[in-house]
Amino acid sequence: MEKRISGTTGLFCLVGSPVGHSGSPAMYNYSFQKQGLDYAYMAFDVKKEQMAAAMKTIKLFNIRGGNITMPCKNIAATLVDELSPAARIIGAINVFVNDNGKITGHITDGIGFVRNLKEHGIDVAGKKLVVIGAGGAATALQVQSALDGAKELSIFNRDDEFYARAEETVKKIQKEAPTVTANAFHLEDNDKLKEEIASADILVNATIIGMKPQDGQSLVDPSFLRKDLVVADTVYNPLKTKLILDAEKIGCQTAPGKGMLLWQGAAAYKLFVGKEMPAKEYQEYEQ
Ligand code: NAD
């Protein structure tokens, strides 16, 4: 460490709260070191109401870029100088790049989702997706799938404060990607869920159901699954959710959330330093 960090080392950081559990510092510092880049990555615990001051500090300290996590993703999008097309549509960022004082916000969660499917040999272009969820991860992957040429998106959410976001996302997709058919449905309508899954190519869980401590739970009756359905999850803790395990039993192609996490991080790295992250090496090193 004393040899690697010097007076010229450029800083990247994670901003949000809590940040103590994050795997980002280990992943990015591994990658900088592996590629001999004079950068370091740190995590800073910043609350939503401190985000404006944090953005000023980023400029003052010439922090080169970094990640934004909950609960700061939406507020940060209002504080940057420019937004990527997907970040503008979604109104949230998880990545920022500081170009000599001009900060651009990006969102790479959806890019990570699409790339994870690609790594499993599946292209979203021309496909019908059923996505359960309308929160941060869901919205990002719904918008990115639409931008990447999905044919149809059926969004299901339970009747909570996120349902209105499902309807908003449908409107945004209709405006920004008019060739995509997008609809929002109530998750309580189990018959509709069954019907939509029956005509879908890809089913995605983008809710917190399946995540610890709600592991062992799934929102989809296993009888709705069939062998030629691709089943993806955004949840990465546990590595395999009940939905993914149910799908494996039926013989479906599956894409668990850990890959999405890795590839959203790799997309951010490319924005940070203009190089491919040694993602597969890090995956092996981590295991
Ligand atoms: P969020 O709080 O923004 O959204 C929560 C979603 O869960 C909403 O759609 C809500 O309606 C739904 N929900 C909550 N309780 C429910 C219940 N009892 N029944 C049905 N639906 C319920 O959360 P988020 O940030 O979008 O995260 C969702 C999941 O995705 C988390 O497990 C998170 O760790 C994961 N995630 C993964 C990645 C990745 O890269 N793999 C990235 C972001 C988030």
Side-chain angles (χ1 to χ4, degrees):
M1 184 68 83
E2 70 278 10
K3 289 211 179 93
R4 214 174 85 64
I5 307 291
S6 73
T8 61
T9 304
L11 185 60
F12 286 85
C13 69
L14 172 66
V15 175
S17 184
V19 292
H21 66 288
S22 171
S24 295
M27 180 173 78
Y28 291 120
N29 285 317
Y30 170 93
S31 302
F32 294 150
Q33 182 154 6
K34 187 97 188 161
Q35 296 187 331
L37 300 174
D38 189 16
Y39 295 123
Y41 190 105
M42 297 282 290
F44 298 118
D45 197 300
V46 171
K47 312 274 185 276
K48 211 153 94 180
E49 57 278 14
Q50 298 170 313
M51 195 58 226
M55 205 52 89
K56 282 191 187 142
T57 310
I58 284 164
K59 287 191 179 183
L60 179 68
F61 286 178
N62 196 23
I63 292 174
R64 309 299 171 89
N67 297 90
I68 309 283
T69 189
M70 296 307 288
C72 301
K73 288 181 173 187
N74 297 93
I75 181 88
T78 68
L79 296 166
V80 294
D81 302 304
E82 228 168 72
L83 290 170
S84 72
R88 175 184 55 78
I89 299 169
I90 295 162
I93 65 170
N94 73 325
V95 172
F96 69 93
V97 175
N98 181 1
D99 208 359
N100 295 317
K102 186 178 144 217
I103 299 190
T104 306
H106 302 261
I107 187 140
T108 61
D109 289 328
I111 297 172
F113 169 78
V114 170
R115 173 77 186 266
N116 188 31
L117 284 180
K118 215 163 241 170
E119 290 293 318
H120 288 82
I122 304 135
D123 198 332
V124 294
K127 303 289 189 325
K128 171 170 176 169
L129 288 86
V130 169
V131 184
I132 308 177
T139 308
L141 74 87
Q142 287 152 3
V143 168
Q144 194 65 45
S145 299
L147 293 177
D148 288 351
K151 181 180 70 178
E152 192 174 341
L153 277 155
S154 294
I155 303 171
F156 282 82
N157 207 82
R158 70 171 182 169
D159 198 7
D160 63 11
E161 71 276 19
F162 288 95
Y163 189 79
R165 280 180 70 175
E167 292 183 316
E168 252 172 60
T169 302
V170 164
K171 280 196 197 126
K172 284 177 182 174
I173 289 173
Q174 284 165 348
K175 180 166 175 260
E176 304 284 344
T179 59
V180 183
T181 304
N183 288 293
F185 302 102
H186 289 278
L187 185 60
E188 288 77 6
D189 188 349
N190 214 31
D191 290 340
K192 190 69 192 162
L193 179 64
K194 183 180 178 182
E195 186 188 318
E196 289 299 307
I197 292 175
S199 59
D201 303 291
I202 302 168
L203 167 69
V204 189
N205 172 52
T207 71
I208 56 168
I209 299 300
M211 181 173 83
K212 283 184 179 163
Q214 315 215 53
D215 46 336
Q217 293 183 38
S218 166
L219 294 165
V220 182
D221 188 311
S223 71
F224 296 179
L225 307 176
R226 49 173 216 283
K227 207 174 172 186
D228 64 344
L229 182 72
V230 174
V231 178
D233 212 315
T234 60
V235 173
Y236 52 84
N237 184 19
L239 291 175
K240 288 184 181 180
T241 57
K242 176 166 188 311
L243 174 65
I244 293 290
L245 292 169
D246 286 346
E248 277 184 355
K249 268 187 217 149
I250 286 162
C252 305
Q253 166 88 324
T254 60
K258 188 72 194 262
M260 172 179 168
L261 186 69
L262 178 74
W263 293 113
Q264 66 79 24
Y269 190 81
K270 186 88 193 272
L271 292 166
F272 293 160
V273 302
K275 284 177 189 259
E276 293 299 329
M277 191 173 91
K280 288 186 178 142
E281 287 98 315
Y282 182 67
Q283 222 172 6
E284 277 159 29
Y285 164 82
E286 208 191 5
Q287 276 161 8

